[in-house]
Amino acid sequence: MVKHTATSVVTIERFIIEQERLYPHATGDLSAILYDLGVAAKMIANKVRSAGLADILGSAEKENIQGEVQQKLDIIANEIIVKAMDHGGRLCGMGSEEEEDMIHIPDRFKRGKYVLLFDPLDGSSNIDVNVPVGTIFSVLHKVSEGERAVLADMLQPGYEQVAAGYVIYGASTMLVYTTGQGAHGFTLDPSIGEFLLSHPHIRIPETGRYLSVNDSYSQMWNEPTRALMRYYRGLDGTREAMSVRYVGSLVADFHRNLLGGGLFAYPANTSNPQGKLRLQYEANPLAFIVEQAGGAATDGHRRIVDLKPTSLHQRTPLFIGSLHDVEAAKRILGDSVAEEVGA
């Protein structure tokens, strides 16, 4: 692995190039995809910063494929990513949480051997109140024959990802990504317009301090899920209570827990029995990152990246974060499944 001292000034472009040199047969296509995503992130960050000064806050008064009202910045961010990525000759197709079908590369552009899945602006409903939001992305190798992407290229399990990352737009803009060689964070220096390496080789504590969960759904959880939440709060006397910290923006909650240790939970409930978060656009990329940082992610019974997707917008329950806290979810919720099977 490439290592840098704390005083090194390393741009994301330089870091990506140095990582590429570790692989003599690399073509440079994946590196270019990551760099182009960094450029798109800068453009979105600029739009987010100016949101309060321009007429881009609030609803665009139309729904996305999820049945959710799209925010104006959702649409802008989606367009930025598509236009930043469709002409580089490295992708054969894309999928966005905001669009029902695959996004095909226009015929006038060369097609490559990768597909990109992304959530352009996670948590965008919070922008009006100045809560951090983020972009999440995942890169996969094309597995089908022919130039154009097909659905099978998009519906690969998370362990097939070759890269994943997220960008958080908050007090500062930070990009975190992995290509399977650890998780690394870069902070945008607005004075020079560059992402600089600020968090090399991120490691999440094995046991976390923070619990991020929306308690308003507690009456719709099953009893094993309630028991798990009592465990995290120390109410069963078996552990020290975790501090509850919930922003309501997945990227913001995940980022805090990744750096400080903790668990983000969005269990299934009677309103969303299949879970709410999107497997391909949210759960898989963040699971890849957290595993590279020493953490884990599960749907309560199975490792997230082992799940076989069947649709572009498939949903899943998600418990993600510090290793021991995720193992507790698997133990308590897994035991409930075993009891049901035994019964």
Side-chain angles (χ1 to χ4, degrees):
M1 289 297 297
V2 178
K3 294 186 177 180
H4 304 278
T5 66
T7 57
S8 296
V9 177
V10 181
T11 67
I12 191 170
E13 182 178 19
R14 175 182 161 191
F15 187 86
I16 290 171
I17 291 171
E18 290 179 349
Q19 292 286 300
E20 182 184 318
R21 288 172 180 162
L22 299 175
Y23 303 93
H25 301 294
T27 63
D29 285 352
L30 180 59
S31 297
I33 290 170
L34 294 171
Y35 186 71
D36 287 346
L37 284 166
V39 173
K42 295 177 192 177
M43 297 171 68
I44 296 171
N46 183 60
K47 294 295 185 182
V48 171
R49 283 197 304 270
S50 63
L53 302 174
D55 185 25
I56 54 178
L57 286 174
S59 168
E61 299 183 349
K62 65 179 180 178
E63 293 184 349
N64 62 15
I65 178 59
Q66 316 298 338
E68 302 163 337
V69 176
Q70 288 179 304
Q71 303 297 309
K72 293 179 182 178
L73 272 175
D74 278 331
I75 298 171
I76 293 171
N78 189 74
E79 187 74 7
I80 286 172
I81 294 175
V82 170
K83 294 305 181 185
M85 306 303 299
D86 67 358
H87 61 282
R90 289 120 188 163
L91 299 177
C92 61
M94 291 179 273
S96 168
E97 185 184 321
E98 297 299 324
E99 303 201 23
E100 181 175 3
D101 299 318
M102 290 185 297
I103 303 167
H104 292 288
I105 303 301
D107 289 337
R108 66 184 181 275
F109 298 136
K110 177 185 174 183
R111 296 183 181 90
K113 60 183 180 181
Y114 293 96
V115 295
L116 173 68
L117 302 171
F118 61 92
D119 181 350
L121 205 60
D122 179 80
S124 59
S125 61
N126 292 308
I127 285 185
D128 286 8
V129 291
N130 211 22
V131 168
V133 294
T135 297
I136 308 173
F137 62 86
S138 169
V139 183
L140 295 156
H141 268 296
K142 187 177 189 294
V143 293
S144 65
E145 300 294 331
E147 287 189 1
R148 296 172 66 88
V150 298
L151 197 57
D153 297 315
M154 310 279 178
L155 299 183
Q156 299 182 59
Y159 63 76
E160 297 287 1
Q161 294 173 104
V162 295
Y166 67 88
V167 185
I168 181 168
Y169 311 103
S172 60
T173 297
M174 186 171 172
L175 186 155
V176 177
Y177 86 91
T178 183
T179 56
Q181 300 296 323
H184 311 283
F186 303 79
T187 301
L188 181 62
D189 183 341
S191 67
I192 60 173
E194 291 284 357
F195 280 106
L196 303 180
L197 180 64
S198 56
H199 295 70
H201 309 288
I202 296 171
R203 302 299 294 176
I204 185 171
E206 290 188 345
T207 301
R209 295 181 289 167
Y210 304 119
L211 171 64
S212 303
V213 65
N214 188 346
D215 281 323
S216 67
Y217 291 109
S218 60
Q219 295 305 310
M220 293 188 281
W221 293 336
N222 60 22
E223 180 51 37
T225 300
R226 293 193 189 104
L228 176 63
M229 297 306 157
R230 290 194 295 270
Y231 165 80
Y232 289 139
R233 287 170 166 80
L235 297 178
D236 63 358
T238 61
R239 67 162 294 162
E240 183 179 348
M242 301 173 76
S243 296
V244 179
R245 298 287 188 274
Y246 183 71
V247 175
S249 172
L250 172 59
V251 169
D253 283 313
F254 176 81
H255 182 70
R256 178 192 55 245
N257 295 349
L258 181 68
L259 298 184
L263 180 121
F264 176 92
Y266 207 118
N269 57 55
T270 54
S271 177
N272 294 295
Q274 303 303 317
K276 183 178 180 182
L277 298 177
R278 289 74 180 177
L279 177 62
Q280 297 298 80
Y281 301 117
E282 297 168 312
N284 267 337
L286 297 185
F288 189 14
I289 293 167
V290 82
E291 287 188 354
Q292 286 295 309
T298 181
D299 67 353
H301 314 294
R302 297 159 295 179
R303 183 177 171 228
I304 284 291
V305 297
D306 286 338
L307 300 178
K308 173 60 178 173
T310 57
S311 68
L312 271 178
H313 298 278
Q314 182 173 332
R315 298 173 186 256
T316 181
L318 180 63
F319 302 84
I320 186 169
S322 294
L323 180 63
H324 293 168
D325 301 322
V326 175
E327 286 178 343
K330 292 166 62 178
R331 181 179 69 251
I332 294 173
L333 298 179
D335 286 347
S336 72
V337 171
E339 289 173 4
E340 291 174 7
V341 173

